[in-house]
Structures are given as structure tokens and as C-alpha cells.
Amino acid sequence: MSKTEIQAVLSGLNLHPSRRLGQNFLCDGNLLRAIVRDAAPAPGESILEIGAGTGVLTAGLLAAGCQVTAVEIDHRLHEHLGIRFGDSPRLRLVRADACRLDYDELMGSAPYRCVANLPYSVSTVVLTRLCEAANPPTALLILLQREMAERLTARPSSKAYGGLTVQTSLLYEAHLLRRVPPEVFLPPPAVESALLRLTRRSDAAPAAERRLAGDVARLAFGQRRKRLGRTLASRYGAERVGAALQRLGLDPNVRPEELAPERFIELARLL
Ligand code: SAM
């Protein structure tokens, strides 16, 4: 859909894009085709799309023959999607808040991937929930704020490295595929975006351990300037933390950003 066509849909719905809902609609056919090409969806494959909006990406995924579960919170867009794709047996439309969904209940136990132009305001929460699912997506191809993509691909000891980096890296390998300028969206967001691929690791730790490691990382990065030993002691007690750090051969003065993601798993196991 061109910019004019999307504008016409929005005014037909009397919808003024909401910043709170991250309503920046994709209006660049070339980028859209590139996303579908990068996703390389296989006929019959199960795909989760979060924030389907006017359905531009949904249409590309359906055309590739996928089974699409499309989540949208806005009732006007949900209704529009129902009318636009009403006769498609391969589309399951879900009107829900992606931050509150139980993804195991929604997607079941079969493998699926997530392809989405994520609402930026909720991308951290949604990613955390997906990572914590018992059956997380096997891979994700997502458009998000460039700054967020940089956090997800950050290396230890860099400024962008943080709790979210740790949590996602324990499950996925992240690759930034392309930077995306604001002009491809209607309305253009204030910041640059990026297309990111996350591919599930074959050696990922079990979900319960990753969840614990995520908790430890969040606590640690809540005070990223402080020494790790001190921050963790506030919850786990100085003695236990001291013993765990010693066992791992870690200096109690180490800062959280110096620890690779796997070390948080080791720490969480001991704590
Ligand atoms: N996929 C469409 C596209 O590429 O043009 C729309 C993407 S737009 C960046 C994000 C969409 O997510 C909007 O349609 C917005 O209404 C929806 N959205 C925002 N917050 C949501 C939430 N918590 N749960 C589900 N959908 C949400």
C-alpha cells in the first residue's frame, strides 16, 4: 500500500495515529518486499505478527502461504483487518494487548516464528515475554528502534549492553540486517529504526534458568555503575554472593557490564 492508500484507510477509520501505541505504519513497498524476502516464509509455516496495523505485512505473509496469527490492540484496525482479510482461512486475528498475552496459550507447542513491525513503546515487554515463554519463537524478524536493536546486538563492556541484551542473548543470536530511515513510515517516527534477526540458539539453557539469569541481570543492571557483589548482596546476602563469585573466579568488584551472558546463567545457578 502506498502512503496515499494508507492515509485513505486511516481517515476512513477516523484514526489519528497514536504515539502511545507506536502507530507508525509502513508505507514503503520496497522495504516491505525486502522484509518478506528476508523472512522467507514457507507455505504452511506458522507466523506470529504483533501489531498488524493496516495489514501491509500480514498481506505479504498470507501471500507467501503462511498460517498467520496477527495480534492488534486497536479495535478500529482489528475491525479493518477482519474486513480486509475476512475470507482468509489462514489468518487468525487476535484483538489483544501483546504485553499481556500468554504466548504459550496463543501459539501452542508447535514451532513458529515472529515477523513484525513492533510497536516501539512495548517492544521490550513483548520481547521479554516471548523469551520467557516455554515455547518461544524459533526466530524473529522484527523492525524496532535502532537504539533498541543496538542494545540487542551489544557486546559486554559496551554502553548499550544491559539486562535485555543478556536475556535475549541467552536464547537468540542477534543480527542487525539493515537500518531503516524514518521516512518509510506514516507518520515518520522521531528516531531511526532497524531490521533485526534473532535466531534461536541450539545450546540455550532451559527456560527456568534463563528466567532466573534474567532476574539477576535486571537487578545487576539496575545499578550498572555499582560493583556486582554489592548489588547482588542486597537480595541474596553478602555471604552467598561472595561464595558464588569466588566459585566462578570473579572479582567481587566486577561491574555487571563486564560479564558475558553465560556468566549470568552460572551466577543464577549458584545463587
Ligand atoms: N504492521 C503494521 C505496519 O507495518 O504498518 C503496523 C505497525 S505499527 C509500528 C504497530 C502496531 O501495533 C499498530 O497497529 C498499533 O495499534 C499496534 N499496537 C500497539 N501497541 C500494541 C499492543 N500492546 N498490543 C498489540 N498491538 C499493539
Side-chain angles (χ1 to χ4, degrees):
M1 278 165 103
S2 67
K3 207 174 255 189
T4 322
E5 287 168 323
I6 292 175
Q7 244 150 3
V9 169
L10 299 181
S11 63
L13 297 173
N14 197 20
L15 190 153
H16 303 282
S18 149
R19 191 191 265 213
R20 186 178 60 80
L21 292 179
Q23 289 182 331
N24 304 101
F25 301 99
L26 205 50
C27 57
D28 181 300
N30 288 333
L31 178 64
L32 200 57
R33 280 185 289 279
I35 294 175
V36 177
R37 202 174 47 238
D38 286 337
E45 182 183 0
S46 173
I47 301 275
L48 167 67
E49 185 192 359
I50 292 169
T54 61
V56 285
L57 186 53
T58 324
L61 296 167
L62 287 172
C66 306
Q67 298 282 347
V68 181
T69 299
V71 179
E72 176 55 57
I73 198 170
D74 188 310
H75 71 95
R76 295 157 299 182
L77 291 168
H78 177 260
E79 210 172 292
H80 163 77
L81 291 163
I83 294 165
R84 180 170 177 186
F85 301 112
D87 55 353
S88 171
R90 285 184 286 101
L91 175 66
R92 182 163 52 129
L93 262 182
V94 181
R95 183 172 167 222
D97 179 350
C99 299
R100 292 167 180 264
L101 271 173
D102 177 335
Y103 288 98
D104 289 318
E105 199 179 292
L106 181 71
M107 300 306 290
S109 55
Y112 66 98
R113 289 192 293 154
C114 173
V115 180
N117 173 13
L118 284 182
Y120 294 166
S121 46
V122 298
S123 44
T124 302
V125 180
V126 169
L127 272 177
T128 303
R129 284 189 85 89
L130 286 172
C131 283
E132 288 183 353
N135 178 34
T138 54
L140 296 94
L141 185 72
I142 44 179
L143 256 181
L144 24 70
Q145 278 183 322
R146 195 182 120 200
E147 184 231 316
M148 172 96 172
E150 284 168 354
R151 278 167 59 197
L152 294 174
T153 49
R155 299 270 161 238
S157 294
S158 66
K159 214 170 131 196
Y161 186 68
L164 188 66
T165 327
V166 171
Q167 187 167 36
T168 48
S169 329
L170 289 172
L171 183 59
Y172 295 107
E173 267 181 57
H175 295 282
L176 202 155
L177 298 188
R178 62 184 86 217
R179 288 177 175 192
V180 175
E183 307 80 68
V184 302
F185 300 99
L186 180 82
V191 292
E192 260 198 16
S193 304
L195 183 65
L196 189 80
R197 189 195 294 286
L198 297 172
T199 315
R200 202 152 94 190
R201 294 177 183 280
S202 53
D203 59 350
E209 285 190 4
R210 283 187 281 106
R211 235 192 321 269
L212 283 178
D215 284 348
V216 172
R218 266 190 295 276
L219 175 66
F221 282 100
Q223 314 245 11
R224 65 182 294 142
R225 298 270 156 256
K226 269 200 179 171
R227 290 176 285 145
L228 183 66
R230 271 188 89 161
T231 310
L232 297 183
S234 64
R235 182 183 298 171
Y236 300 100
E239 208 171 304
R240 206 203 277 185
V241 171
L245 292 176
Q246 192 178 26
R247 184 110 181 257
L248 296 175
L250 289 171
D251 181 342
N253 293 328
V254 73
R255 314 254 169 215
E257 68 221 42
E258 294 170 66
L259 252 60
E262 316 76 67
R263 302 244 81 183
F264 282 94
I265 284 272
E266 295 167 350
L267 249 182
R269 278 181 190 140
L270 291 173
L271 291 174

